[in-house]
Amino acid sequence: IKMDVAGIQMKDIQIQLSGNQVTIQGIRRDWAILDGRQTYTMEIDYHRFERHIELPCCIEQARLSTQYREGMLLVNLQVEPS
């Protein structure tokens, strides 16, 4: 699974496996507002998000590894053949 998570810190992302579904949730924070800055306009959504990805097989016992690189989250699931 490859997901655009630009501007989101890895500590703000959670990944859960259940049945044949992967749930990725997190929050994109607006650091400029936290620093007291004001913005005239922006094209970035700052809020909580949650994505559910359904896969063709059960992945509850899958080995999960992640990589975060240049704003992209890569989720690797290794499933043993049954």
Side-chain angles (χ1 to χ4, degrees):
I1 299 169
K2 186 175 184 181
M3 184 174 188
D4 175 9
V5 291
I8 303 172
Q9 295 185 2
M10 194 61 192
K11 69 179 181 87
D12 289 332
I13 298 172
Q14 296 84 41
I15 302 170
Q16 299 173 353
L17 308 177
S18 178
N20 67 334
Q21 190 172 49
V22 179
T23 300
I24 302 173
Q25 55 188 334
I27 185 168
R28 178 178 281 134
R29 302 173 194 277
D30 188 348
W31 300 108
I33 288 177
L34 297 176
D35 291 341
R37 300 178 190 171
Q38 294 182 356
T39 304
Y40 175 72
T41 185
M42 74 175 131
E43 298 180 13
I44 304 167
D45 290 329
Y46 292 100
H47 55 78
R48 292 191 175 278
F49 66 89
E50 185 170 304
R51 302 292 182 272
H52 302 278
I53 299 123
E54 194 168 318
L55 300 173
C57 62
C58 182
I59 43 95
E60 284 185 349
Q61 302 299 319
R63 286 189 286 164
L64 174 95
S65 64
T66 60
Q67 290 181 322
Y68 179 80
R69 188 174 28 181
E70 298 177 9
M72 299 301 284
L73 175 66
L74 302 171
V75 178
N76 298 304
L77 299 166
Q78 188 171 16
V79 180
E80 296 295 326
S82 52

